[in-house]
Amino acid sequence: MSAICEVPGGNIAVAETPMLRWVLAYADDALILGHRLSEWCSRAPSMEEDMALANLGLDLLGQARFLYSHAATLENAAQPALERSEDDYAYRRDAPQFRNALLVEQPNGDFAATMVRHMLYASFADLYWRASLAVSDPAIAAFAARSEKEIAYHERHAADWVIRLGDGTAESRRRAQSALDGLLAFADELFETEADQLPLMAAGAIIDPARLRDAYRHRIEQICARATLSLAWPRWHQSGGRQGRHGEHLGHLLAELQFLPRAYPGASW
Amino acid sequence: MYAQALDQTDTRPAQGDDPARLAAFQARIDAEQKIEPNHWMPEAYRRTLIRQIAQHAHSEIIGMQPEGNWITRAPSLRRKVALLAKVQDECGHGLYLYAAAETLGVSRAALVDQLLAGTAKYSSIFNYPTLSWADIGAIGWLVDGAAIMNQIPLCRCSYGPYARAMIRVCKEESFHQRQGYEIICSLAGGTPEQRAMAQDALNRWWWPCLMMFGPPDTESQHSDQSTRWKIKRFSNDELRQTFIDATVPQAHRLGLTLPDPDLHLDQATGHWRYGAIDWAEFRAVLRGEGPCNRDRLARRNAAHAEGEWVREAASAYAAKQNQRKAA
Amino acid sequence: MAEATPDYPLWEVFLRSRNGLAHKHAGSLHAPDATLALAAARDLFTRRGEAISIWVVPSHAIIASDPDDQAMLFEPAESKIYRHPSFYTVPDDVGHM
């Protein structure tokens, strides 16, 4: 492996194996979406919902920490001198190194946009972690077991709200429909298969998300029907996040998230 | 997290309170029996409690903002989840307290409206800004530390729902002060810049924290009745002294300096004696002239206003569901 | 200031902390309907593993006894000491009964 020069406190250079890319993709999904939810703190539509959004955020941040620690274990096993920790991945990579899907970096918008975004993510993640319960990699199976329980609740909570907003008042319906129309193009990226991960999928170490797409569409259609929202799957979809090609929003999110470790390189907190 | 000792006792004459009932009420309190929502109580007792519990609830909800200011910039994932969980707890504590106030026959909506309109008080401490990450440590260590001194005696308050809410709050808050002190420890033992950050935070938060206990006993006119009703168990100055005695050694342990040139240990009593508190600043902040009063209320008003269509939608959906069930 | 939206209805929350224990009153909250009341109860009252089961009940459905009736309702029971085992004497050598 070529020795990559890292500046202390600067960006890390992750030696990405197919497995590491997979771990970071799902860790980044959880971190970015968890961060977005934490932005709601003290701004929710009701105090009860402030509690709920923080709980959703804490679940996701916990999932991100688990997967980043797993990534650190994988990288340190290959190169112990790196001494990677969970925070290296969250705080010392720039936007092009992030592997999250574009959906999760979309701004919170109004409460309808946040709940539609969450429904689109959680319906996927629930299916994905449930399918991952039986993978051959024990660390991933253990993660799936824990996450599936958390995410099942997320999906229910998001669906409860999408249904109430869709079938609530004329204004809430307009906002929910607009959120759905705007965000639907980000759903399909969640089901892209990364070619270099195919051998891992064939070996049963991880699950190919593509095989869950039909079940996912069925779920979203059911929720939208109950919400009396009209659903038209777009013929194209936004893509690029898994390869590090993000939208304009992620850079700003990271500038905020990473500010302290970037401003005080080498300090511990 | 924070019951501030504001002048809370309602001393308006109790019209029509039957002297025999008043005596029986006081006898129950003297016997350390709890008063419950549907029990008879003097109107002044009810009004005093509504005002105090509402101020306490408002403080929790407004108190989310200064710390919430750093959630998205927390310097590690461990710090981020701890801070989000802590601020979430404060929201929960506000909800427990509003519910306790509602048992006295006032609606939460009415109390929230008073807060939004700027006619209700909340703890002055939250009108100060959080300027660096060290402020998150200082708030946990000092502000929560001061709050705990106020809140533990409230667990024995004569009004049952308030006492029960405070027991839950104190139990949940046990991690808050440790969380803050751990942050300050890391900074005090860190780089020179981090150490300076910790000292600067202590310099800015120390005096406002001492003000959290309320005016000195010589000026606090209404404490007697609250004490007789066993709503208040210790005087402002007693609690302030307890806090200072507990906190000064914690600062010294980290090599931090307290911003009070008059601070010294009184060998005879074992108490730390402190310099004059700027009560003019305290009164100005309570009047709305603190650095962040406007921002704090504006944020709460914005959240409330922007959430209105959501609350309307949920209520409309519930009404439709009820109609569908009835049909 | 006129109130824009009346608050959601009030619900009472009861938690079963462990299997084998009864549900116990934990507090109250506001929610627009039963589903969201359960969700809010979960988010508000069970963040530290306090429950394995939740009940929510509309607060207006609770019928409470009048505290002014306390003496009439409950004091008569106090004199019926023959309802308690300690009222009865059995020989010591019989052992625990």
Side-chain angles (χ1 to χ4, degrees):
Chain A
M1 194 168 290
S2 64
I4 301 160
C5 185
E6 290 180 9
V7 180
N11 285 345
I12 58 170
V14 180
E16 285 188 339
T17 62
M19 179 53 101
L20 202 51
R21 275 174 69 99
W22 180 90
V23 173
L24 289 175
Y26 292 102
D28 292 346
D29 279 355
L31 173 68
I32 301 303
L33 189 56
H35 182 94
R36 281 289 187 224
L37 290 168
S38 79
E39 293 173 350
W40 270 103
C41 189
S42 83
R43 294 170 169 88
S46 71
M47 292 179 275
E48 280 83 3
E49 198 53 31
D50 225 308
M51 302 295 298
L53 292 170
N55 269 351
L56 302 182
L58 286 168
D59 284 343
L60 289 166
L61 293 172
Q63 292 174 18
R65 293 186 68 189
F66 185 107
L67 288 174
Y68 286 139
S69 295
H70 185 56
T73 305
L74 295 178
E75 253 202 304
N76 290 336
Q79 275 188 282
L82 290 174
E83 295 184 357
R84 287 275 192 261
S85 74
E86 57 176 14
D87 287 335
D88 289 332
Y89 300 102
Y91 290 90
R92 296 179 59 198
R93 288 180 302 150
D94 199 357
Q97 294 173 282
F98 271 76
R99 303 280 167 216
N100 60 278
L102 298 174
L103 174 70
V104 297
E105 71 193 51
Q106 297 310 305
N108 285 339
D110 63 12
F111 186 68
T114 291
M115 282 298 128
V116 168
R117 184 186 65 196
H118 212 71
M119 169 190 76
L120 292 174
Y121 172 78
S123 286
F124 159 74
D126 183 54
L127 284 166
Y128 194 64
W129 298 125
R130 193 173 297 187
S132 301
L133 291 172
V135 294
S136 59
D137 185 318
I140 296 169
F143 174 78
R146 159 214 166 127
S147 300
E148 192 277 322
K149 290 187 202 85
E150 292 176 342
I151 290 292
Y153 184 80
H154 289 219
E155 186 192 23
R156 178 188 296 186
H157 192 73
D160 279 344
W161 270 113
V162 170
I163 290 164
R164 277 158 185 73
L165 299 179
D167 193 15
T169 62
E171 178 176 12
S172 69
R173 181 192 170 72
R174 178 183 62 72
R175 288 174 182 262
Q177 187 66 58
S178 159
L180 186 67
D181 295 345
L183 288 165
L184 219 44
F186 294 100
D188 264 357
E189 189 190 3
L190 298 164
F191 300 93
E192 288 175 356
T193 305
E194 300 236 28
D196 64 350
Q197 291 169 4
L198 281 170
L200 289 170
M201 292 165 180
I206 56 175
I207 297 293
D208 182 355
R211 70 179 224 212
L212 302 171
R213 205 177 75 144
D214 291 345
Y216 174 81
R217 288 194 164 201
H218 183 62
R219 281 190 182 199
I220 300 296
E221 283 157 12
Q222 280 187 317
I223 298 168
C224 289
R226 287 189 60 197
T228 68
L229 294 170
S230 56
L231 178 72
W233 294 104
R235 293 201 192 137
W236 53 277
H237 71 269
Q238 299 281 4
S239 179
R242 297 279 188 235
Q243 289 78 45
R245 291 192 317 277
H246 294 278
E248 291 177 346
H249 304 295
L250 184 66
H252 293 280
L253 184 154
L254 293 178
E256 189 170 343
L257 187 152
Q258 299 177 339
F259 152 67
L260 276 170
R262 296 285 193 188
Y264 301 90
S268 63
W269 301 91
Chain B
M1 70 172 128
Y2 325 96
Q4 179 162 45
L6 305 168
D7 57 341
Q8 284 150 335
T9 310
D10 193 315
T11 50
R12 279 180 284 171
Q15 302 274 327
D17 281 346
D18 171 9
R21 292 197 110 169
L22 273 176
F25 177 80
Q26 189 62 48
R28 295 190 55 171
I29 290 197
D30 293 343
E32 296 285 342
Q33 288 185 25
K34 295 287 184 220
I35 308 301
E36 294 297 339
N38 51 4
H39 292 164
W40 183 87
M41 63 186 80
E43 269 315 295
Y45 177 83
R46 183 188 302 276
R47 286 197 301 259
T48 296
L49 275 170
I50 288 174
R51 190 157 47 174
Q52 175 167 340
I53 299 171
Q55 284 174 356
H56 196 165
H58 299 330
S59 300
E60 301 281 354
I61 297 302
I62 295 289
M64 296 170 73
Q65 292 183 37
E67 287 178 283
N69 184 35
W70 282 88
I71 290 172
T72 54
R73 290 178 290 170
S76 71
L77 296 179
R78 182 173 181 274
R79 296 281 182 232
K80 198 180 191 73
V81 293
L83 184 58
L84 180 53
K86 177 179 188 288
V87 178
Q88 182 197 40
D89 272 353
E90 282 151 24
C91 186
H93 299 167
L95 288 171
Y96 303 154
L97 287 160
Y98 282 127
E102 286 193 291
T103 64
L104 291 156
V106 63
S107 78
R108 183 174 86 177
L111 297 175
V112 167
D113 279 352
Q114 289 169 9
L115 173 67
L116 297 176
T119 56
K121 282 181 183 156
Y122 58 85
S123 187
S124 57
I125 195 79
F126 302 116
N127 292 315
Y128 291 89
T130 50
L131 303 178
S132 80
W133 173 250
D135 291 28
I136 301 309
I139 289 182
W141 172 34
L142 301 173
V143 178
D144 286 281
I148 284 280
M149 300 278 169
N150 262 326
Q151 292 186 157
I152 286 178
L154 285 171
C155 296
R156 294 189 294 130
C157 158
S158 61
Y159 187 58
Y162 194 20
R164 289 192 288 276
M166 291 318 301
I167 288 168
R168 189 177 267 273
V169 167
C170 287
K171 204 167 127 192
E172 295 188 355
E173 281 204 352
S174 50
F175 93 84
H176 292 188
Q177 194 184 12
R178 290 170 67 97
Q179 179 256 176
Y181 195 65
E182 192 190 271
I183 290 173
I184 291 288
C185 285
S186 297
L187 297 175
T191 65
E193 277 176 308
Q194 287 177 305
R195 202 175 167 72
M197 209 184 266
Q199 182 64 55
D200 175 59
L202 178 56
N203 293 348
R204 284 181 291 109
W205 289 94
W206 177 250
W207 290 108
C209 279
L210 298 189
M211 295 174 197
M212 283 177 69
F213 296 94
D217 294 348
T218 49
E219 286 176 31
S220 182
Q221 301 142 7
H222 304 311
S223 294
D224 291 355
Q225 184 60 66
S226 271
T227 306
R228 271 198 297 280
W229 280 333
K230 297 194 194 291
I231 296 172
K232 195 180 174 84
R233 299 257 175 184
F234 299 99
S235 80
N236 295 354
D237 284 335
E238 282 169 346
L239 290 171
R240 187 165 18 242
Q241 187 66 57
T242 309
F243 170 73
I244 291 171
D245 290 343
T247 310
V248 171
Q250 292 165 358
H252 290 164
R253 158 95 181 50
L254 298 176
L256 297 174
T257 311
L258 292 152
D260 178 358
D262 296 327
L263 188 75
H264 66 277
L265 186 63
D266 179 346
Q267 296 291 351
T269 61
H271 290 306
W272 286 91
R273 297 301 175 203
Y274 51 98
I277 295 172
D278 182 357
W279 292 112
E281 175 180 321
F282 173 70
R283 285 187 292 271
V285 175
L286 274 191
R287 274 200 308 270
E289 297 165 19
C292 299
N293 297 57
R294 287 167 62 92
D295 290 346
R296 302 291 185 239
L297 274 189
R299 161 80 69 80
R300 196 87 286 280
N301 272 289
H304 189 78
E306 284 159 24
E308 192 177 325
W309 68 269
V310 179
R311 299 189 300 273
E312 282 174 357
S315 298
Y317 177 81
K320 281 189 215 176
Q321 288 297 98
N322 286 336
Q323 276 174 6
R324 285 166 193 158
K325 253 180 242 159
Chain C
M1 197 172 90
E3 197 183 307
T5 317
D7 215 330
Y8 296 145
L10 195 63
W11 304 75
E12 300 301 319
V13 178
F14 299 82
L15 304 180
R16 185 200 294 284
S17 57
R18 283 188 280 125
N19 263 331
L21 295 183
H23 286 77
K24 192 179 162 204
H25 187 240
S28 48
L29 52 80
H30 290 267
D33 59 45
T35 301
L36 290 185
L38 270 178
R42 180 254 192 195
D43 288 324
L44 185 56
F45 291 107
T46 73
R47 303 197 302 291
R48 289 168 171 83
E50 291 94 335
I52 56 157
S53 166
I54 305 173
W55 288 348
V56 291
V57 180
S59 300
H60 65 74
I62 304 263
I63 315 295
S65 64
D66 186 335
D68 288 342
D69 291 344
Q70 186 179 332
M72 171 183 86
L73 291 175
F74 308 116
E75 279 180 26
E78 287 171 17
S79 60
K80 313 296 191 292
I81 53 173
Y82 43 80
R83 287 193 173 115
H84 299 278
S86 55
F87 180 75
Y88 301 94
T89 312
V90 292
D92 286 347
D93 56 356
V94 174
H96 180 72
M97 182 178 279

